[in-house]
Amino acid sequence: HSCNELAQSSGINAEYGDVMEDNELRFGPNGGLVFCMEYLIQNTSWLEECLGEVDDDYFIIDCPGQIELYTHMETMKRFLSTLQQWDIRVCAVYLLDSQFLVEPSKFIAGMCSALSAMVQLQIPHVNVLSKIDLLSVKDKETLDRWLDPSEDTMTDYLHRTTNKRHANLSRALAKLLDDYSLIHFVPLNIEDEDTIGDLCLQIDMLLQISDDAEPREPRDREDVDVESGFGDEI
């Protein structure tokens, strides 16, 4: 049975669409997702049964995009803790749309959200710049410096593209991100299998999968291909 079928047969049913249409609950989009996640946390037995034995299984859980679930609420943290109690190794893969590179303020805001999620969830974490294939040639040429941005890079970028009255705020945000030294990005181009392979390698390393397998070194930054995000494998 699918998870949905098992949930219904167990009397557990809190689908997002139904919650949103409930005239008594009267939730907005964010409130509906929070309610569903809270409901899941209170009824995890069916999920455990659905997952079954997990010795060699690899689960990819596509989570909702409402950022408050990861930055300051305990809901997702409690869900991850439940998975860990079931001896499931967990890793967060945080996707940031590379189109944010076009708008500096959005990109810095995305970095702050990623940092907040890392601090809140406290689990192995990899940040991904997705949709690299949709970037313009000009934006791809500047991609490399944003995979591991420095304080100077962020400050200069914001000073050149935002209101000068916000100079002190820009400098403070850049320093905050640089002080933590946690925000690094892995580029993902869906049209390039090498970038997918490198992302999978990063995740496997964080999850400590195949500890007995022959180690494979990630490629150096100098080998990055501007068009795809990565060059040929070494």
Side-chain angles (χ1 to χ4, degrees), residues 2 20-22 24-25 35 50 52 57 66 75 79 110 115 144 146 152 157 159 166 173 176-177 179 185 214:
S2 68
M20 291 298 298
E21 294 173 2
D22 193 297
E24 294 184 3
L25 296 175
F35 176 87
C50 181
D57 291 337
Q66 268 60 24
T75 309
F79 174 65
L115 177 60
D144 187 49
W146 289 108
D152 290 340
Y157 196 26
H159 283 180
H166 301 151
L173 285 173
L176 172 68
L177 292 167
D179 284 348
F185 289 98
E214 186 71 20

Side-chain angles (χ1 to χ4, degrees), residues 33-67:
L33 280 171
V34 172
F35 176 87
C36 288
M37 288 301 302
E38 291 284 357
Y39 196 86
L40 171 63
I41 297 300
Q42 296 170 14
N43 300 276
T44 56
S45 57
W46 70 268
L47 177 60
E48 185 176 17
E49 183 179 349
C50 181
L51 296 178
E53 297 295 329
V54 297
D55 290 342
D56 297 315
D57 291 337
Y58 197 115
F59 300 108
I60 299 177
I61 303 177
D62 185 12
C63 299
Q66 268 60 24
I67 192 62

Side-chain angles (χ1 to χ4, degrees), residues 58 199-211:
Y58 197 115
L199 175 57
C200 289
L201 174 62
Q202 293 280 346
I203 296 171
D204 287 350
M205 291 172 62
L206 291 175
L207 293 175
Q208 298 180 336
I209 291 178
S210 304
D211 286 341

Side-chain angles (χ1 to χ4, degrees), residues 115-206:
L115 177 60
S116 180
M118 294 175 74
V119 173
Q120 170 73 358
L121 298 179
Q122 298 182 23
I123 61 172
H125 190 115
V126 56
N127 294 302
V128 179
L129 268 180
S130 63
K131 303 180 182 179
I132 296 297
D133 51 298
L134 300 182
L135 287 176
S136 67
V137 174
K138 179 180 178 181
D139 290 328
K140 286 178 180 178
E141 291 175 352
T142 63
L143 174 64
D144 187 49
R145 64 175 179 169
W146 289 108
L147 299 180
D148 189 7
S150 66
E151 178 181 349
D152 290 340
T153 297
M154 290 183 284
T155 301
D156 178 66
Y157 196 26
L158 287 171
H159 283 180
R160 287 188 292 103
T161 56
T162 59
N163 195 305
K164 296 298 184 293
R165 292 181 300 175
H166 301 151
N168 289 337
L169 175 61
S170 299
R171 190 178 300 107
L173 285 173
K175 187 177 187 306
L176 172 68
L177 292 167
D178 189 66
D179 284 348
Y180 271 89
S181 297
L182 292 175
I183 305 298
H184 315 283
F185 289 98
V186 177
L188 177 62
N189 181 345
I190 197 62
E191 297 180 351
D192 186 344
E193 293 184 4
D194 286 339
T195 67
I196 300 173
D198 276 279
L199 175 57
C200 289
L201 174 62
Q202 293 280 346
I203 296 171
D204 287 350
M205 291 172 62
L206 291 175

